[in-house]
Amino acid sequence: MSFKSFVRELREIKDGIGSISKRGEEGSRHWRNRTMSHIAPDQEEHSPLELIQQGRWANLPPELLLDIIRRVEESETSWPSRAIVVFCASVCRSWRAITKEIIRTPEQCGRLTFPISLKQPGPRESPFQCFIRRDRATSTYLLYFGLAPSEDEKHKLLLAAKRVRRAAGTDFIISLVADDFSRASSTYVGKLRSNFLGTKFSIYDSQPPCDPAAQQSSRSSRRFHSKQVSPRVPACNYSVGTVSYELNVLRTRGPRRMQCVMQTIPVSSIQEGGTAPTPTSFTHSDDHLSIESDSMRKDSGKDFGSKTPSEPAVQGSDESLVLKNKAPRWHEQLQCWCLNFRGRVTVASVKNFQLVAAVDESHNVSVEEQEKVILQFGKIGKDIFTMDYHYPLSAFQAFAICLSSFDTKPACE
């Protein structure tokens, strides 16, 4: 094959995939809201990609296909152009397998590609910079990938949350799309639940923890009866973390004091050579259905929430990672509490915070790692907030922690 023919073939691939995505956008409102980040599950019925699956593209030599997708992955490094990588995985099963083999985790490559990337730890060096847009009328919160909102640029939607008030507290339902917050939907990824005073929050994940030991001790509860929906939709919530705010009994002025216990992240993850749990795919509920059904038969009359939310899920000698807010300093000239957000926060607010690891000498964590800001959140405008997160937090975990700052806390201020 000549070089010109090879280039022409590459252009046909790109044009063909682009036309398919365009037709999908015109015919599907959900596809448009997911900002072209989802891969449909393998199905036996006919799909719009049937012609490509039966054509020459499905039968390309693996070596050539590997080289093509690797070039596409290296050239399209940012959104929205990175959607082409997702299109490559949508062509057929062989393309999907090779694409998933090439794509690395955010910790390794510093890029977000597939939806599972939102459940994987962020990069170790430079943080992922995102922003949250709050809609007071609909009580929704949209997380975008980017420095700050701009009119001439289409930003990548990562996650969306909706606040639902209950008699005993508040729930923040977290979804992959901005128009479907049903807990029975395949786009549901988790929730944040508060107590009555808004001082303690529990983070629930729709996926079980990666560590089997953590999964056994992690608090779980049914979202709905498993027979009501497709077995591909997880039917349980798993407690993966808690956020606690210190009570301000004396009503003294000052920033909020908060502490986060990440039950599924061991403190060893921030030690030298340590690793954080990294899921590789979304687990379907049928994989854990037998385990859950057996336990529910035994404990049918018991409450799954009988354990205290702050109980660590990481078993053994390793402890759960604890985060604390970085103490601000008092600025005499400005007469306010200040933190160095490196230009990412421009408006003073009680919601602004920076989280660092809370460790002691026995954990053998370097001073540099102790001072590293793992998550920072702050206001830059009316209903606009920035969110920057580091390893070992994922986008889902960081977003849930930031959502806790939006809830009313009369006992903490």
Side-chain angles (χ1 to χ4, degrees):
M1 179 183 292
S2 65
F3 179 74
K4 291 184 178 181
S5 300
F6 180 73
V7 173
R8 185 167 58 252
E9 294 290 335
L10 288 177
R11 289 179 178 176
E12 289 180 4
I13 293 175
K14 184 175 181 180
D15 295 340
I17 295 174
S19 62
I20 291 174
S21 65
K22 185 176 181 180
R23 291 197 298 271
E25 286 181 348
E26 294 174 352
S28 174
R29 177 169 58 88
H30 289 288
W31 179 255
R32 183 166 60 249
N33 287 330
R34 294 176 189 178
T35 62
M36 300 171 287
S37 64
H38 291 267
I39 301 176
D42 297 330
Q43 298 177 352
E44 295 181 358
E45 59 266 18
H46 298 290
S47 66
L49 303 177
E50 184 180 8
L51 295 177
I52 291 184
Q53 293 180 5
Q54 296 178 354
R56 54 184 176 178
W57 302 121
N59 300 318
L60 284 178
E63 296 80 7
L64 176 60
L65 183 57
L66 184 67
D67 182 63
I68 292 175
I69 298 180
R70 181 176 286 117
R71 293 190 184 189
V72 173
E73 198 277 336
E74 293 176 353
S75 61
E76 311 299 342
T77 59
S78 60
W79 288 90
S81 61
R82 193 160 178 79
I84 298 178
V85 180
V86 181
F87 295 157
C88 290
S90 304
V91 172
C92 60
R93 293 185 180 181
S94 60
W95 283 58
R96 179 182 302 184
I98 293 181
T99 303
K100 292 176 68 176
E101 178 183 345
I102 292 175
I103 301 301
R104 295 175 294 169
T105 64
E107 178 188 352
Q108 297 170 332
C109 68
R111 300 168 188 168
L112 294 171
T113 307
F114 300 118
I116 193 61
S117 302
L118 304 176
K119 295 289 186 76
Q120 297 173 338
R124 291 179 180 264
E125 301 301 328
S126 57
F128 278 145
Q129 296 178 320
C130 315
F131 67 90
I132 299 173
R133 186 187 296 273
R134 175 177 59 181
D135 190 335
R136 296 176 182 266
T138 59
S139 297
T140 56
Y141 306 83
L142 305 182
L143 175 66
Y144 293 94
F145 187 60
L147 295 176
S150 59
E151 297 180 357
D152 57 344
E153 185 176 353
K154 186 176 181 180
H155 295 281
K156 166 67 177 172
L157 175 66
L158 299 181
L159 292 168
K162 183 177 181 64
R163 183 169 64 180
V164 180
R165 296 190 181 276
R166 302 178 297 107
T170 304
D171 281 356
F172 289 86
I173 310 301
I174 305 176
S175 173
L176 290 171
V177 295
D179 63 344
D180 186 3
F181 295 98
S182 171
R183 301 180 190 182
S185 172
S186 60
T187 61
Y188 172 86
V189 294
K191 70 176 181 180
L192 178 74
R193 169 165 288 186
S194 74
N195 63 357
F196 179 75
L197 295 177
T199 56
K200 291 185 179 181
F201 296 79
S202 297
I203 304 173
Y204 292 93
D205 196 339
S206 63
Q207 301 297 125
C210 298
D211 186 2
Q215 180 182 335
Q216 292 178 2
S217 61
S218 178
R219 179 187 178 191
S220 62
S221 61
R222 280 277 180 182
R223 286 159 48 193
F224 44 76
H225 197 279
S226 59
K227 294 182 179 180
Q228 294 178 355
V229 294
S230 168
R232 286 185 173 272
V233 180
C236 291
N237 282 314
Y238 298 86
S239 179
V240 297
T242 59
V243 183
S244 302
Y245 289 84
E246 185 177 314
L247 290 172
N248 188 1
V249 181
L250 301 178
R251 311 292 294 179
T252 57
R253 296 185 62 183
R256 297 170 177 170
R257 296 182 181 180
M258 59 188 297
Q259 184 182 74
C260 305
V261 180
M262 310 310 300
Q263 300 171 5
T264 56
I265 303 178
V267 71
S268 62
S269 62
I270 61 174
Q271 295 173 351
E272 186 176 357
T275 58
T278 305
T280 57
S281 62
F282 286 101
T283 306
H284 304 316
S285 63
D286 51 357
D287 298 334
H288 303 273
L289 207 54
S290 59
I291 300 176
E292 293 296 332
S293 59
D294 292 341
S295 62
M296 286 183 179
R297 292 192 191 99
K298 297 177 182 179
D299 302 326
S300 57
K302 297 180 181 180
D303 181 12
F304 275 90
S306 58
K307 293 182 180 180
T308 57
S310 60
E311 182 178 350
V314 180
Q315 290 187 340
S317 59
D318 214 345
E319 302 176 18
S320 298
L321 177 65
V322 178
L323 305 176
K324 64 179 181 179
N325 62 317
K326 192 174 182 178
R329 61 179 180 84
W330 178 257
H331 199 290
E332 290 293 341
Q333 295 180 347
L334 299 178
Q335 290 294 299
C336 65
W337 297 96
C338 295
L339 279 172
N340 183 12
F341 288 96
R342 301 185 183 278
R344 289 286 289 156
V345 177
T346 57
V347 180
S349 173
V350 70
K351 297 180 176 63
N352 302 346
F353 66 81
Q354 290 181 331
L355 294 184
V356 296
V359 295
D360 52 39
E361 296 181 357
S362 62
H363 292 141
N364 296 323
V365 178
S366 64
V367 177
E368 180 183 0
E369 199 68 30
Q370 294 180 35
E371 296 178 351
K372 178 183 292 185
V373 176
I374 297 177
L375 170 64
Q376 75 172 20
F377 171 80
K379 192 173 183 179
I380 60 173
K382 184 178 180 181
D383 296 325
I384 302 294
F385 303 82
T386 59
M387 186 194 87
D388 302 343
Y389 73 97
H390 260 293
Y391 170 94
L393 289 183
S394 66
F396 165 72
Q397 294 166 337
F399 186 43
I401 294 174
C402 293
L403 287 174
S404 69
S405 186
F406 288 108
D407 198 28
T408 306
K409 302 174 183 60
C412 303
E413 299 174 357

